């Protein structure tokens, strides 16, 4: 029932909140929420708090990318956010530094130490 789905979405939001991650749904998805070990293809744009773009799969020389959840192939905040999403969903995920690159930063992409990361993620497809 939709009541059960609403409760689980609330639980997902509370879990993210407990990690300091914020999520804002821009477009609802449909189907099942993504689970660990699944392969997820996404479009993503990443911004620093000052609005500087550090990465976008929508740039002319880029493409969507696929990763497997639960394998630490992306920063934790990105993954935890994706694990609350459904196919077709578009959401803004804000990751505190400890859920991103923490004190190291990622200098190749111009991400300083202790940076908050703001991702807009679109889930294109999910497979087992």
């Amino acid at each position: 029932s939709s009541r059960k789905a609403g409760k689980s979405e609330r639980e997902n939001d509370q879990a993210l909140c407990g990690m300091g991650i914020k999520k804002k749904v821009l477009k609802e998805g449909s189907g099942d929420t993504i689970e660990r070990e699944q392969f997820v293809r996404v479009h993503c744009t990443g911004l620093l708090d000052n609005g500087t773009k550090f990465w976008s799969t929508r740039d002319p020389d880029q493409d969507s990318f696929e990763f497997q959840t639960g394998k630490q192939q992306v920063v934790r905040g990105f993954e935890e956010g994706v694990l609350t999403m459904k196919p077709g969903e578009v959401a803004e995920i804000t990751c505190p530094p400890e859920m991103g690159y923490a004190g190291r930063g990622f200098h190749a992409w111009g991400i300083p130490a202790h940076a908050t990361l703001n991702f807009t993620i679109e889930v294109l497809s999910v497979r087992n």
Side-chain angles (χ1 to χ4, degrees):
S1 76
S2 62
R3 188 172 180 182
K4 181 176 179 245
K7 182 174 186 242
S8 81
E9 284 175 22
R10 246 195 328 278
E11 288 169 354
N12 280 336
D13 289 345
Q14 288 169 350
L16 287 181
C17 217
M19 291 182 261
I21 300 166
K22 295 184 184 110
K23 177 183 176 185
K24 178 182 176 186
V25 176
L26 303 179
K27 180 183 163 218
E28 295 286 343
S30 60
D32 294 328
T33 301
I34 294 163
E35 297 176 20
R36 292 198 190 281
E37 311 285 308
Q38 287 185 310
F39 291 88
V40 183
R41 180 165 291 281
V42 298
H43 261 308
C44 176
T45 298
L47 303 176
L48 300 175
D49 270 350
N50 66 8
T52 301
K53 179 172 67 175
F54 59 82
W55 174 53
S56 180
T57 60
R58 295 184 184 278
D59 285 348
D61 57 338
Q62 298 292 313
D63 197 2
S64 63
F65 82 99
E66 185 177 75
F67 70 100
Q68 187 176 13
T69 59
K71 301 293 184 184
Q72 300 177 336
Q73 295 174 353
V74 293
V75 295
R76 183 161 177 216
F78 187 101
E79 178 163 55
E80 295 292 346
V82 166
L83 285 168
T84 68
M85 297 177 73
K86 297 176 180 177
E89 184 173 325
V90 180
E92 291 177 353
I93 305 290
T94 302
C95 307
E98 59 274 17
M99 291 289 142
Y101 294 102
R104 333 186 275 291
F106 190 66
H107 298 289
W109 283 8
I111 299 172
H114 309 293
T116 295
L117 307 178
N118 303 285
F119 294 106
T120 301
I121 302 168
E122 177 181 6
V123 176
L124 302 173
S125 64
V126 182
R127 65 182 179 86
N128 289 323

